[in-house]
Amino acid sequence: MSEEIILDIKDLRTSFFTEDVEVKAVDGVSFKLPKGKTIGIVGESGSGKSITALSILRLLEHPGKIVGGEINFKDKDLTKASDREIRDIRGNEISMIFQEPMTSLNPVYTVGQQIRETLKVHQGLGKEQGTKKGVELLELVGIPSPKKRITQYPHELSGGMRQRVMIAMALACNPELLIADEPTTALDVTIQAQILEIINDLQDRFDMSVIMITHDMGVVAETCDYVAVMYGGKVVEYADVKTIFKEPKHPYTVGLLNSIPRHDVDVDELEPIRGNVPSPNDMPKGCRFAPRCPFATDLCYEELPSLDKVSDDNQVRCWIYSERWDGDPEVKVNGPERTS
Amino acid sequence: MAQKELLKVNHLKQYFPIKGGFFGRTVNHVKAVDDVSFEIYEGETLSVVGESGCGKSTTGRAILRLDDPTEGTIEFDGEDLLSLSKREMRNRRKDIQVIFQDPYASLNPRQTVAKILTEAMEIQNVVPKNKRRERAIELLETVGLNAEQIDRYPHEFSGGQRQRVGIARALAVEPKLIVCDEAVSALDVSVQAQVLNLLKKLQREFNLTFLFIAHDLGVVRHISDRVAVMYLGKVVEIADKKSLFENPQHPYTKALLSAIPTPDPENKKERIVLKGDVPSPIDPPTGCRFHTRCPFATDLCKQDIPELRNLDHMEEGHRAACHHIEKIVSGDMKPNY
């Protein structure tokens, strides 16, 4: 990759400390994001994907704490930045949108007041200028009659509208990086399609980089350039989007793809992953996925594999691809054979 | 189809009054379900899909008589459920069970699994008292849990396991029809696939009939035999699964299908992005309710409510409620985005 790297996360570790117990929610996450590209972070509940995002903006609430690693954003390590520096970066250079727009908007202020506040804090715009810019922003995210909407309260807007307002606020200061944490999960599919189109369109226009956090492989396929698959607080596979879907290497990635019921193809029987998602305070010692993996050997239960390069475009955390693999040497991790 | 109709819903309407004004009079109605008819054959899965507010859950609740419908009939095994007294209906619930979306909220946190399951048997008196625990263990094994887990409380289970307990409870009274209201929506994909496979297996084993209410069309394609698509309180299209997914006729169904992101980055398809939001069911649009967002809408659509109809090019049993099916198929009408 010869592109400019805007975000370089190295071995990030974030833990929650409760009653003498350390729960390792994010346990050694590394990835790079080139400028203008989108990386998808996928995983199921408890995989640590949202905590990774919150760590980048240092939005963790007590008792959560970053305990190690680096978050290099344009040559500045955010883990070491002062509170003041972080505050300047939030909303200016890095913005975030959340899953539930109703809880992220303040119900007692109008849309206009909230957008103006953002603009005042970050760009020092006054009331008149703020309103003008606010209307422009609402127009940009495709809200009809923005002049009327800007005077309304969040409860007067539908879910899709609220999410657009959130995006408008996030874009108020032309951020270089947008973190979208499940931005469409709470929305209906037809509205989801609208929102994803807006994000894609704005990204092209402003050459913005995006971190898309989702559990939906469909959303990943449609919006991302690179994908990091997380499981049990660790990245288990990292590749470009085509490789992930065409030649997934990690048994978990394969299991995930095989579990998705498709609307465009008929499948007789889904191949689910056996067992349940492990709880973060009771993580398996070796490979986090070992208890659910159909190929696991003693080695997998005992020792944690590292995230290694298996080909030019793929990194995998799995013993099968190492020289120390002691299971069946012929083991084939089959990708999804279903094609339309 | 020579199959037996197990459930027949005729012109079902469910209006919820909105109270307001000085004397708390009814000022308006939310027309959650507005003239819906369909039938479910024995042993099949009919899915009802649609976006939030389309009335799919309300339809399910009406069938269970958790709400009292405003108008219409619901025939189960030839008997109108809406004419039954409360007591008779309680007995009928032996045949009609439900699995809800949120297994956290639908299991009593202070009861053990044994209690949850035997209570269901006790109410319907399906198993003699001394056999109930034995039967409960059998049920747990049927849904893929262990016999040792029978004396545990709901909080000791994961989400997927809890949903299995919910399924076991529904099975405890040996029902004929199970209404699954977003039964797998809250689960992680890897676990969701397990539960879907379980439901399919149980259906084969016990000859169950499912009314499956869902918004995820991938899940629906996997589990259903037939599918009904709802929009703002009305069924806009109903057909065999294959016919519906491969040959959708209604512009709304087409838009809905095209809006789903496909997990295949090399197969990016043409997307129909609908304008605007779903209108409010308090004052739904006149005529065809989809006309405010439809790329083919004409003046006729604003005035007349289209009926569900089958045309020559459509498979038997495939019906859609659109005035312009013919012209859209022939290409005489072009979408106006």
Side-chain angles (χ1 to χ4, degrees):
Chain A
M1 282 181 272
S2 58
E3 304 115 310
E4 185 191 339
I5 302 292
I6 189 161
L7 184 76
D8 185 1
I9 297 184
K10 285 183 186 148
D11 197 32
L12 175 70
R13 278 173 288 127
T14 302
S15 295
F16 287 79
F17 296 90
T18 52
E19 296 168 25
D20 326 316
V21 195
E22 181 187 357
V23 177
K24 295 176 177 173
V26 175
D27 192 11
V29 163
S30 310
F31 62 82
K32 288 183 181 141
L33 176 60
K35 191 171 170 51
K37 301 284 185 193
T38 303
I39 185 169
I41 303 184
V42 257
E44 298 179 286
S45 39
S47 61
K49 53 191 193 302
S50 291
I51 302 299
T52 303
L54 293 174
S55 301
I56 297 171
L57 275 179
R58 299 246 306 263
L59 288 170
L60 295 162
E61 275 173 40
H62 183 78
K65 232 180 126 185
I66 296 175
V67 291
E70 293 171 25
I71 301 171
N72 295 309
F73 174 69
K74 298 198 301 183
D75 304 325
K76 185 184 279 174
D77 185 356
L78 299 184
T79 61
K80 296 193 178 66
S82 68
D83 285 354
R84 219 207 136 74
E85 284 174 304
I86 273 286
R87 217 178 310 142
D88 282 342
I89 288 172
R90 277 185 207 142
N92 271 330
E93 291 162 78
I94 307 181
S95 274
M96 185 156 181
I97 47 180
F98 297 91
Q99 172 173 354
E100 200 9 277
M102 195 61 203
T103 49
S104 348
L105 288 170
N106 191 330
V108 299
Y109 293 106
T110 63
V111 168
Q113 284 168 317
Q114 300 187 51
I115 297 183
R116 277 203 301 275
E117 190 190 348
T118 312
L119 292 167
K120 190 177 158 200
V121 170
H122 293 292
Q123 299 186 337
L125 295 188
K127 190 170 177 188
E128 215 167 287
Q129 286 168 300
T131 308
K132 198 168 152 246
K133 181 88 196 278
V135 170
E136 274 171 39
L137 285 166
L138 292 185
E139 214 159 21
L140 191 71
V141 294
I143 291 184
S145 43
K147 284 204 175 109
K148 180 181 150 215
R149 293 295 182 185
I150 204 161
T151 62
Q152 290 184 320
Y153 288 89
H155 75 264
E156 297 176 80
L157 308 178
S158 67
M161 286 290 177
R162 280 182 219 138
Q163 197 57 291
R164 281 169 210 250
V165 170
M166 284 306 298
I167 295 175
M169 286 168 70
L171 296 177
C173 308
N174 300 331
E176 287 170 66
L177 174 63
L178 177 73
I179 304 175
D181 187 359
E182 305 264 10
T184 56
T185 307
L187 305 174
D188 283 315
V189 273
T190 58
I191 310 299
Q192 165 171 289
Q194 296 170 353
I195 298 289
L196 292 180
E197 199 173 74
I198 289 168
I199 295 179
N200 269 343
D201 178 48
L202 295 174
Q203 174 174 24
D204 288 350
R205 250 201 273 178
F206 301 115
D207 199 22
M208 200 166 57
S209 314
V210 177
I211 299 181
M212 179 72 75
I213 295 165
T214 178
H215 66 278
D216 186 332
M217 289 304 255
V219 172
V220 170
E222 304 234 343
T223 59
C224 299
D225 302 297
Y226 302 95
V227 186
V229 181
M230 285 190 70
Y231 190 82
K234 292 187 177 297
V235 173
V236 294
E237 183 158 5
Y238 175 84
D240 67 79
V241 70
K242 284 190 180 149
T243 312
I244 279 279
F245 283 92
K246 232 177 150 181
E247 296 166 61
K249 289 277 191 297
H250 199 283
Y252 175 65
T253 314
V254 175
L256 203 58
L257 288 169
N258 282 337
S259 300
I260 312 170
R262 296 268 298 255
H263 70 92
D264 54 345
V265 212
D266 274 321
V267 191
D268 283 340
E269 184 124 0
L270 297 170
E271 292 170 44
I273 304 172
R274 63 184 174 173
N276 293 297
V277 181
S279 136
N281 46 25
D282 188 21
M283 275 295 162
K285 183 173 130 213
C287 171
R288 306 295 189 245
F289 188 58
R292 304 177 72 189
C293 181
F295 310 109
T297 64
D298 288 347
L299 177 64
C300 303
Y301 282 96
E302 287 303 316
E303 269 184 73
L304 181 75
S306 54
L307 186 65
D308 292 325
K309 221 170 177 176
V310 288
S311 70
D312 280 348
D313 15 49
N314 209 337
Q315 293 173 30
V316 179
R317 189 187 290 279
C318 178
W319 285 119
I320 294 177
Y321 305 98
S322 79
E323 283 171 7
R324 289 181 59 198
W325 176 241
D326 57 354
D328 181 359
E330 297 288 296
V331 69
K332 263 250 179 286
V333 185
N334 275 325
E337 280 157 19
R338 301 184 257 145
T339 41
S340 31
Chain B
M1 266 185 272
Q3 281 165 297
K4 179 183 153 203
E5 275 175 11
L6 184 67
L7 185 87
K8 195 168 165 57
V9 175
N10 286 316
H11 304 291
L12 182 72
K13 288 184 186 172
Q14 178 81 63
Y15 294 176
F16 295 108
I18 302 166
K19 305 277 187 197
F22 190 61
F23 295 108
R25 280 171 309 177
T26 301
V27 288
N28 213 333
H29 286 95
V30 175
K31 296 175 179 167
V33 175
D34 199 5
D35 199 1
V36 160
S37 304
F38 59 85
E39 59 292 309
I40 308 179
Y41 300 102
E42 196 164 34
E44 77 162 355
T45 301
L46 174 77
S47 286
V48 179
V49 293
E51 297 179 283
S52 37
C54 71
K56 55 190 193 298
S57 286
T58 309
T59 307
R61 289 178 64 88
I63 290 168
L64 293 154
R65 265 191 64 185
L66 296 175
D67 302 317
D68 273 316
T70 314
E71 249 183 78
T73 60
I74 298 170
E75 281 170 43
F76 180 79
D77 236 352
E79 182 181 29
D80 184 9
L81 294 181
L82 302 184
S83 64
L84 298 180
S85 70
K86 280 220 163 93
R87 177 190 297 257
E88 288 167 324
M89 187 59 210
R90 204 172 303 140
N91 288 334
R92 261 303 183 200
R93 292 224 173 88
K94 181 193 162 310
D95 294 329
I96 312 174
Q97 282 291 307
V98 59
I99 305 167
F100 290 107
Q101 168 172 5
D102 189 352
Y104 296 72
S106 56
L107 299 175
N108 187 335
R110 301 178 67 171
Q111 289 184 343
T112 62
V113 171
K115 177 75 183 145
I116 289 169
L117 295 180
T118 51
E119 190 177 63
M121 297 177 214
E122 193 183 318
I123 292 168
Q124 295 295 349
N125 205 7
V126 278
V127 183
K129 205 168 180 183
N130 53 3
K131 294 264 171 63
R132 279 178 198 152
R133 195 178 160 87
E134 205 178 299
R135 170 86 178 120
I137 290 175
E138 205 180 290
L139 282 167
L140 278 190
E141 283 166 352
T142 313
V143 298
L145 294 170
N146 295 325
E148 305 94 72
Q149 292 169 310
I150 193 160
D151 290 314
R152 296 204 186 154
Y153 290 91
H155 75 264
E156 296 174 74
F157 292 92
S158 68
Q161 289 172 325
R162 238 174 292 201
Q163 199 56 292
R164 286 172 195 264
V165 174
I167 295 170
R169 176 177 60 183
L171 290 176
V173 298
E174 295 161 24
K176 292 179 184 158
L177 174 73
I178 300 183
V179 177
C180 305
D181 190 355
E182 299 277 12
V184 296
S185 311
L187 306 174
D188 277 315
V189 259
S190 69
V191 177
Q192 172 182 295
Q194 297 169 1
V195 175
L196 285 174
N197 281 348
L198 173 68
L199 287 171
K200 274 193 144 180
K201 186 189 109 192
L202 295 173
Q203 179 166 46
R204 282 194 300 269
E205 251 167 66
F206 302 109
N207 191 30
L208 293 169
T209 307
F210 289 138
L211 174 64
F212 202 88
I213 297 164
H215 68 278
D216 183 328
L217 285 139
V219 168
V220 164
R221 176 157 194 164
H222 184 66
I223 195 119
S224 321
D225 297 301
R226 288 189 309 132
V227 182
V229 181
M230 284 185 75
Y231 184 78
L232 265 185
K234 286 196 180 293
V235 172
V236 295
E237 185 155 6
I238 182 165
D240 261 19
K241 167 177 73 176
K242 207 173 166 55
S243 190
L244 188 105
F245 279 93
E246 279 165 18
N247 195 15
Q249 297 295 319
H250 198 285
Y252 176 64
T253 314
K254 288 182 193 170
L256 194 64
L257 288 173
S258 86
I260 312 165
T262 317
D264 186 352
E266 289 183 30
N267 183 17
K268 288 201 177 157
K269 58 197 167 171
E270 193 72 15
R271 168 160 299 163
I272 310 165
V273 176
L274 288 177
K275 287 170 285 187
D277 288 312
V278 181
S280 156
I282 298 172
D283 255 320
T286 54
C288 173
R289 293 189 168 189
F290 186 55
H291 85 248
T292 54
R293 300 172 80 197
C294 183
F296 297 99
T298 62
D299 284 342
L300 175 67
C301 305
K302 291 176 193 163
Q303 288 150 15
D304 287 357
I305 301 175
E307 296 286 324
L308 279 171
R309 57 205 178 108
N310 176 269
L311 295 166
D312 288 345
H313 71 279
M314 290 151 73
E315 276 186 39
E316 199 193 324
H318 188 154
R319 287 174 296 153
C322 172
H323 290 301
H324 301 305
I325 302 173
E326 301 92 332
K327 286 184 200 144
I328 294 171
V329 166
S330 67
D332 287 347
M333 272 181 99
K334 294 274 179 273
N336 171 28
Y337 294 115

